[in-house]
């Protein structure tokens, strides 16, 4: 598998609660990659929790930090990176994501609502109607998530190990071994992935 990826970074995108961090850690181990979570790095850089950043800097301030952290990470190779749910909303972030392999962990909103029911750490869910807010965020981001190289639909009863195994199995379907690499897709836009 490492030969197929040729060291390019693996970016996990998807809604909050979709399991990006847990699955990302498993994939990093499987691939022999280092693992990073952009939210954890933001907290480390800012010396504040995500909630504190939202309270003091607002969502715009948080998104700016998120882009800076992503830019730093994209300079390295052989990383598995769990991103924040809204990272897809800034066009500039795609200029970094496109040089890695982007995997969308797609979890149905009703499953996310159950998973996040007791979670008080998510600033975007500090709302009178967290379920409605989750649905709204998903509707807003769905077309952006769909730009991922791989979409892995997660069912409620799957373990993180099973999801990671699905990702590993799907990677070869979008990346060819170096000796066989030609144009991927009909439009000739390979997102830079085949230059590695």
């Amino acid at each position: 598998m490492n030969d197929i990826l040729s060291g390019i970074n693996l970016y996990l995108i998807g809604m909050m609660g979709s399991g990006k961090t847990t699955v990302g850690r498993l994939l990093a181990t499987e691939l022999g990659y280092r693992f990073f979570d952009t939210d954890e790095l933001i907290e480390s850089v800012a010396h504040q929790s995500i909630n504190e950043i939202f309270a003091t800097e607002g969502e715009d301030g948080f998104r700016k930090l998120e882009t800076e952290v992503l830019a730093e990470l994209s300079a390295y190779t052989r990383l598995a990176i769990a991103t924040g749910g809204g990272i897809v909303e800034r066009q500039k972030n795609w200029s970094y994501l496109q040089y890695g392999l982007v995997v969308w962990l797609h979890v149905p909103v009703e499953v996310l609502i159950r998973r996040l029911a007791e979670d008080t750490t998510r600033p975007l869910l500090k709302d009178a109607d967290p379920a409605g807010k989750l649905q709204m965020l998903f509707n807003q981001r769905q077309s952006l998530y769909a730009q991922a190289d791989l979409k892995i639909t997660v069912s409620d009863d799957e373990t993180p190990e099973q999801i990671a195994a699905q990702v590993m199995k799907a990677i070869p379907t979008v990346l060819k071994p170096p000796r066989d690499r030609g144009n991927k897709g009909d439009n000739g836009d390979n997102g830079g992935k085949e230059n590695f």
Side-chain angles (χ1 to χ4, degrees):
M1 187 58 68
N2 293 357
D3 292 346
I4 292 171
L5 275 176
S6 301
I8 67 170
N9 291 340
L10 189 66
Y11 295 98
L12 294 169
I13 64 170
M15 289 287 286
M16 64 183 91
S18 60
K20 298 181 298 278
T21 300
T22 307
V23 172
R25 286 186 201 284
L26 292 167
L27 288 168
T29 301
E30 186 78 25
L31 291 164
Y33 274 24
R34 287 182 297 153
F35 173 77
F36 289 96
D37 179 303
T38 56
D39 284 353
E40 289 173 7
L41 284 174
I42 291 164
E43 290 183 332
S44 175
V45 167
H47 305 292
Q48 289 181 300
S49 71
I50 302 287
N51 277 324
E52 288 167 339
I53 296 167
F54 266 77
T56 58
E57 307 290 328
E59 186 173 355
D60 281 348
F62 171 79
R63 296 293 172 207
K64 184 173 178 288
L65 278 172
E66 187 174 55
T67 298
E68 289 169 14
V69 163
L70 183 63
E72 287 287 322
L73 287 172
S74 70
Y76 296 90
T77 57
R78 305 180 66 76
L79 304 181
I81 300 159
T83 64
I87 208 161
V88 295
E89 291 182 16
R90 290 187 95 177
Q91 189 57 44
K92 185 173 185 180
N93 293 339
W94 282 98
S95 67
Y96 303 118
L97 293 170
Q98 72 178 354
Y99 287 103
L101 181 72
V102 182
V103 178
W104 172 22
L105 294 186
H106 171 50
V107 179
V109 173
E110 57 275 12
V111 176
L112 294 174
I113 291 166
R114 284 197 299 276
R115 286 184 182 181
L116 296 168
E118 305 301 317
D119 193 333
T120 58
T121 66
R122 314 275 181 166
L124 291 177
L125 292 184
K126 293 188 183 314
D127 201 83
D129 177 19
K133 182 72 180 244
L134 270 174
Q135 187 64 60
M136 185 206 77
L137 287 170
F138 177 75
N139 293 346
Q140 199 174 296
R141 297 170 178 170
Q142 184 176 9
S143 64
L144 297 167
Y145 290 144
Q147 294 176 39
D149 300 297
L150 278 176
K151 175 184 176 184
I152 303 294
T153 301
V154 177
S155 62
D156 200 11
D157 58 350
E158 279 182 296
T159 66
E161 290 77 13
Q162 288 170 320
I163 299 161
Q166 260 197 76
V167 174
M168 292 297 288
K169 187 176 176 187
I171 287 172
T173 67
V174 290
L175 287 182
K176 292 180 169 55
R179 66 184 178 282
D180 297 332
R181 287 186 179 167
N183 282 338
K184 180 182 79 166
D186 297 329
N187 63 4
D189 177 15
N190 59 23
K193 288 173 195 57
E194 309 211 347
N195 299 327
F196 290 86

